[in-house]
Amino acid sequence: MTAPAPKPWIMGIAPYIPGRSTTDDGRKVAKLSSNENPLGTSPAGREAFTSAAGRLERYPDASATELREALAERHELDPARIIYGNGSDEVLHLAAGAFAGPGDEVIYVRYGFAVYEIATRRVGATPVIAPDKDYATDVDAILAAVTERTKVVFVANPNNPTGTYSTREEIARLHAGLREDILLVLDHAYAEYIEGDAEDGGMALAARASNVLVTRTFSKMYGLAAERIGWGYAAAPIIEAMHRIRLPFSITIAGTAAAIAALNDRAFVEHTREHNARWRAWFSEEVGKLGNAGLRAVPSQANFVLVLFEGKLTAEAAYKGLMNAGYIVRWLPGQGLPHGLRITIGTEDETRGVMAALRELAGA
């Protein structure tokens, strides 16, 4: 008897591997592997989540009306052009599912977010990887990779796992170089961490262009990773197409309530941003002092730093050594970075501690 056979492109998918939370021997230690908010969740968001417990027997609003209206008010957007999903991951999958398929190509950058390849292969499209420019997005390389079969381009800005950032001018040039029938997806999962007024203009592009989708999440800055609330903004025809394949109840009542409250807790957001900027700068500077030992910090605009190991100490050895010292970080051989560790900016104690462990491992 022959068993059902999955589509060949499904078997080509390497399953997503999340950041670990325990050591090889089962110890729970400082988790700096998943870019979670080290300061926790907005108190207002936590209270709203708890208050929603009395409605667990009800289905959530399939239209997410309150969430869309809150997002529209905060970002000055049209609520009808907002889509939502189970984390921004679902929104990214919806983009690929609505606009690409067998015979089509989807472009993303080398060292890009792992979900892009999964979303591409899941619909039978062909992944096309654009070379990087010293771990950063190379606009010219992306444009050179475009063919008549290109349907979607994914760009994370800031990028994950490198933390690198493309300027407003670079994003505008990328968009101007793409055909109008190619969907440009700007993944803004870490946009709230960008310093100053250096945002890339993506939301304004999505407001006026017919082929730009911006995605965002409540998992990082807002500390709601457990509730999986993501959203996106684009022209009405793009959103309408994505709605046709969206899960009808992809976000929960409690998660929605927490997201709306967290969105309006500006004090918590500013505190998180200031904490991250301070300790990201300190950590990057301290890694820079280990240059003689072959360590290098890639400039980051996110809530993590990619540390490269280009000397005697390898990333694998450092990964295991940090784990023994009580810190779990993200080693990335599966993303073409066997020589890199992505390290989340934690609390002050965690950041100082992981840096002290790195110094010891490097012999400094």
Side-chain angles (χ1 to χ4, degrees):
M1 183 178 295
T2 302
K7 293 295 185 183
W9 53 80
I10 297 298
M11 300 311 294
I13 294 174
Y16 180 79
I17 300 175
R20 295 178 57 175
S21 57
T22 59
T23 63
D24 289 338
D25 56 6
R27 288 178 295 132
K28 285 193 173 182
V29 293
K31 185 185 178 189
L32 303 176
S33 59
S34 296
N35 305 335
E36 295 151 334
N37 191 326
L39 305 183
T41 302
S42 150
R46 200 162 46 241
E47 181 179 350
F49 178 87
T50 302
S51 298
R55 293 181 285 161
L56 298 183
E57 78 281 6
R58 301 297 183 188
Y59 282 108
D61 174 14
S63 298
T65 303
E66 291 184 41
L67 177 62
R68 288 189 295 108
E69 289 177 350
L71 288 167
E73 181 178 358
R74 170 62 60 194
H75 297 284
E76 299 182 346
L77 305 173
D78 178 358
R81 293 172 57 179
I82 294 175
I83 195 166
Y84 35 90
N86 188 252
S88 57
D89 286 3
E90 183 187 3
V91 182
L92 297 171
H93 275 278
L94 292 175
F99 294 97
D104 297 330
E105 294 177 348
V106 175
I107 299 173
Y108 48 87
V109 301
R110 186 184 184 195
Y111 311 130
F113 185 32
V115 165
Y116 303 152
E117 180 176 1
I118 295 172
T120 299
R121 293 188 183 278
R122 177 172 177 261
V123 298
T126 301
V128 175
I129 302 174
D132 65 295
K133 182 185 290 183
D134 193 22
Y135 301 92
T137 297
D138 187 335
V139 169
D140 292 317
I142 292 175
L143 294 176
V146 172
T147 73
E148 69 278 2
R149 294 183 295 277
T150 304
K151 296 297 182 183
V152 179
V153 174
F154 285 116
V155 173
N157 204 31
N159 186 49
N160 176 22
T162 64
T164 53
Y165 181 70
S166 299
T167 65
R168 177 188 295 262
E169 291 74 22
E170 290 173 317
I171 294 299
R173 186 165 68 86
L174 171 60
H175 176 252
L178 296 175
R179 300 190 311 269
E180 292 184 356
D181 65 330
I182 296 174
L183 177 64
L184 173 60
V185 181
L186 297 174
D187 180 352
H188 279 188
Y190 299 92
E192 289 89 353
Y193 293 99
I194 297 168
E195 292 189 42
D197 298 320
E199 63 95 15
D200 66 4
M203 203 65 81
L205 263 181
R208 68 175 184 268
S210 62
N211 64 335
V212 177
L213 168 68
V214 172
T215 66
R216 289 205 172 185
T217 183
F218 281 87
S219 295
K220 307 302 180 184
M221 173 67 78
Y222 296 99
L224 287 170
E227 287 310 293
R228 315 302 301 124
I229 307 290
W231 61 283
Y233 191 72
I238 293 174
I239 297 301
E240 180 183 352
M242 294 168 66
H243 271 306
R244 292 174 182 268
I245 57 174
R246 178 182 56 79
L247 293 174
F249 302 109
S250 57
I251 57 177
T252 68
I253 287 175
T256 299
I260 293 171
L263 185 68
N264 293 315
D265 190 348
R266 303 308 298 165
F268 178 80
V269 169
E270 288 307 315
H271 179 45
T272 296
R273 182 181 290 114
E274 290 169 4
H275 172 90
N276 184 75
R278 176 185 177 186
W279 291 104
R280 180 181 63 196
W282 179 87
F283 183 76
S284 297
E285 183 178 353
E286 293 300 306
V287 171
K289 295 176 183 178
L290 300 178
N292 289 337
L295 275 66
R296 174 161 71 106
V298 175
S300 173
Q301 284 277 16
N303 68 338
F304 59 85
V305 174
L306 177 65
V307 179
L308 304 177
F309 293 78
E310 301 170 328
K312 183 178 179 180
L313 177 64
T314 67
E316 181 178 9
Y319 171 71
K320 294 177 179 178
L322 291 175
M323 187 182 299
N324 289 334
Y327 303 92
I328 291 184
V329 299
R330 191 71 179 268
W331 182 36
L332 299 160
Q335 291 183 249
L337 287 164
H339 58 299
L341 296 181
R342 192 192 68 187
I343 302 177
T344 304
I345 300 302
T347 63
E348 176 179 350
D349 287 347
E350 289 170 341
T351 305
R352 288 186 181 278
V354 75
M355 190 64 241
L358 269 178
R359 287 193 202 98
E360 184 175 350
L361 290 166

